[in-house]
Amino acid sequence: MQTKLDQLQAEFLAQLAEAQALLNEAADQAGKQAEELRIAFLGKKGRFAELMVGLKDLGNEEKAQVGKGVNQLKELVTNSISDLSQKAQTAIADLAVRSQWIDISLNPYQEEPGSLHPVSLMHLKLEEIFEAMGFTIYDGPQVETDHYNFEALNFDPHHPARDMHDTFFFKGGRLLRTQTSTIQIRAMEKLKPPFRIIGSGKVFRCERVDASHDACFHQLEGMMVDKDISVANLKHFMQVMLSGIFESEVKVRLRPGYFPFVEPGFELEMACLICGGEGCAVCKRVGWIELLGCGMVHPNVLRAGGIDPEEYSGFAFGMGTDRLAMMKYGISDIRPLHSGDLNFSRLFSAATHYRLG
Ligand code: FA5
C-alpha cells in the first residue's frame, strides 16, 4: 500500500511539474491542467477515491499508518493544485493587462488633416493673382437692398434685365444678392479713382439646377477705374488671370453680352476642359463654357458712384468661380461641390494642397 502511495505521489509530482512549466508561455493551458489534475486525483472517481477502496481491507494498525500517509499526500496534492490554479489565473490576468494596455495620454480622436474646398482654393489663387497686379480686396453683405443689387447698377425699376436674375426676396424688400457686382458700388462709395478692387462670395438665384447651374454659387468681381482704361486693358487682365489659374494656354473667346452696368459688355467663354471642346452636359454640348461677364463700366454707374465719366473710365468683370474650379480640377458637375460630402472634398485634399501664409 505504501508503494502505491509513493507511486501516486511520483505520478502527481511529474504531472504537476509539466503543468507548472506552462505557466509562463501558456497560462490558460496551465489553468486547464490544474483543473484536470484536480478531477484526476481528487475527483469522486479519482485516484484518491481508488486508494480509499483498498484501505478498507487493511488491518487497523496498518490502516491508521497508511491513512496518515494518504492524508498527507492529499493535502500536498490539494495545496499544489490550488497554488497552480492561482498562479495560472494571475498569469492570465497579467497577460491581459499587458496586451490590452490603454495609453490614456493618447488623443482618442483620429486626426485627419483638413483641406480647403476647391472653390476656396480657387478664390485664394485668384486673390493672389490679382493682389500681385495691384488689386485690393473688398467685401459686401449677402443680404442686400434693391439699390446695391439693381438700381445703382443701372437697372431701372422695370428693367427687363431684372428678370434674368431670379431673385430671392425677403419680406420688407431686402434680397439675397444675385451678383457680386454689388461690391463695385460699395467700393465706389469709399474710393477715389484710380483704384483696382476685387471682391468675392456667395450669390443666390432661384435657378433650375443642373450640371453647371446651382441656386447658390460663387462669384469673384473685379473693377478697375483710371484714366484711359480700354477694352485692351480688360483683355490683358483676363489673360493674365487665366494663365495664372491654368498655368498653360487655354482657348477663350469674347462674345458680346448685355449687362445694364457695362457698355460694351461681353461674355468670356473658355473651351470646355471637361470634354476638350467635344460637347458635354457641363457645356450644354456646345464645347464652350461661359466663365464670366465683363465690359466697360457704364457712365451712369460711374456717375452714381461720384466719378466723372468724362475724366475716368473703367472695366469690370464678374466670374463664376465654381465653374472655374470645375475646369481647373476636372469636376464634371457643380452639384457635388456644394453637397457637403466629405468623400468628395477629400478627393482634393492631397491634389490641391495649398499653403496659407
Ligand atoms: C453677372 O452676374 C454679372 N454681374 C457679371 C458682370 C460683372 C458683368 C461685371 C459685367 C461686369 P452672369 O449672370 O452672366 O453675370 O454671371 C456671371 C458668371 O457667373 C457666369 O458667367 C457663370 O460663370 C456664373 N454663373 C451664373 N449663373 C450661375 C449658376 N446658376 N450657377 C453657377 N454659376 C453661375
Side-chain angles (χ1 to χ4, degrees):
M1 192 68 188
Q2 184 59 45
T3 322
K4 273 192 183 172
L5 216 53
D6 291 344
Q7 273 175 358
L8 191 63
Q9 180 167 341
E11 222 179 290
F12 172 73
L13 291 176
Q15 289 185 31
L16 181 70
E18 263 177 44
Q20 280 170 334
L22 294 170
L23 274 175
N24 284 339
E25 298 300 323
D28 55 337
Q29 205 52 40
K32 267 192 206 147
Q33 290 205 6
E35 181 57 11
E36 280 165 20
L37 280 174
R38 194 189 62 72
I39 295 167
F41 285 84
L42 304 171
K44 256 192 195 160
K45 294 180 182 163
R47 306 296 295 278
F48 277 98
E50 268 173 30
L51 212 62
M52 298 311 268
V53 176
L55 207 63
K56 69 176 186 325
D57 301 330
L58 297 178
N60 278 352
E61 202 176 316
E62 200 184 355
K63 199 190 267 180
Q65 200 189 349
V66 175
K68 202 173 156 199
V70 170
N71 283 342
Q72 278 171 353
L73 182 57
K74 202 169 176 184
E75 199 180 326
L76 171 84
V77 169
T78 309
N79 290 344
S80 304
I81 291 175
S82 143
D83 182 56
L84 174 66
S85 163
Q86 230 164 39
K87 281 185 176 149
Q89 275 175 26
T90 310
I92 290 168
D94 277 355
L95 186 74
V97 168
R98 262 183 280 129
S99 64
Q100 295 164 21
W101 171 249
I102 296 167
D103 184 348
I104 54 164
S105 68
L106 285 178
N107 183 348
Y109 304 104
Q110 223 188 15
E111 280 179 16
E112 197 178 338
S115 63
L116 290 171
H117 188 275
V119 175
S120 304
L121 285 164
M122 188 47 73
H123 283 215
L124 285 168
K125 186 71 189 160
L126 286 164
E127 284 170 6
E128 190 181 294
I129 292 170
F130 280 106
E131 276 186 311
M133 297 192 288
F135 284 71
T136 50
I137 299 173
Y138 256 72
D139 203 2
Q142 291 173 5
V143 176
E144 270 292 10
T145 59
D146 184 276
H147 171 77
Y148 287 103
N149 200 76
F150 292 121
E151 207 183 313
L153 285 161
N154 207 27
F155 289 81
D156 287 338
H158 302 292
H159 201 295
R162 283 176 179 245
D163 297 343
M164 283 155 58
H165 296 230
D166 290 313
T167 312
F168 292 107
F169 287 99
F170 292 97
K171 275 186 192 151
R174 286 188 185 264
L175 50 88
L176 285 174
R177 69 177 175 198
T178 60
Q179 50 186 345
T180 45
S181 298
T182 52
I183 297 172
Q184 292 180 25
I185 306 301
R186 293 189 173 273
M188 278 192 288
E189 283 177 348
K190 298 231 167 73
L191 298 171
K192 295 236 166 306
F195 63 80
R196 306 169 183 199
I197 59 106
I198 54 166
S200 63
K202 285 190 168 72
V203 297
F204 308 85
R205 292 183 195 174
C206 187
E207 289 264 18
R208 182 192 288 262
V209 171
D210 62 25
S212 57
H213 292 82
D214 216 336
C216 167
F217 57 101
H218 300 82
Q219 285 188 341
L220 183 131
E221 192 81 9
M223 185 184 210
M224 177 176 183
V225 178
D226 205 335
K227 291 188 172 155
D228 302 323
I229 296 293
S230 71
V231 175
N233 299 105
L234 169 62
K235 254 186 93 181
H236 166 76
F237 282 104
M238 295 301 96
Q239 266 162 358
V240 174
M241 182 264 295
L242 288 171
S243 47
I245 294 294
F246 292 98
E247 292 157 354
S248 64
E249 197 75 8
V250 286
K251 258 168 72 182
V252 291
R253 67 182 189 188
L254 269 184
R255 294 195 324 162
Y258 176 70
F259 305 94
F261 39 98
V262 286
E263 181 56 41
F266 308 97
E267 279 170 1
L268 185 140
E269 297 181 333
M270 80 180 272
C272 180
L273 296 181
I274 302 296
C275 59
E278 298 273 301
C280 65
V282 176
C283 61
K284 303 256 176 328
R285 321 264 161 225
V286 292
W288 294 89
I289 175 113
E290 186 200 315
L291 279 188
L292 58 94
C294 58
M296 301 307 295
V297 184
H298 196 289
N300 287 351
V301 175
L302 288 175
R303 228 174 270 120
I307 298 168
D308 180 0
E310 301 297 322
E311 194 181 353
Y312 289 102
S313 51
F315 69 74
F317 61 88
M319 181 159 45
T321 47
D322 310 85
R323 290 191 189 170
L324 200 61
M326 288 165 73
M327 292 298 118
K328 170 77 181 171
Y329 303 122
I331 302 164
S332 58
D333 198 311
I334 197 171
R335 288 162 285 199
L337 269 180
H338 307 143
S339 66
D341 180 352
L342 285 181
N343 287 328
F344 172 80
S345 305
R346 277 190 194 107
L347 293 176
F348 299 91
S349 59
T352 60
H353 187 68
Y354 185 91
R355 252 174 221 294
L356 285 171

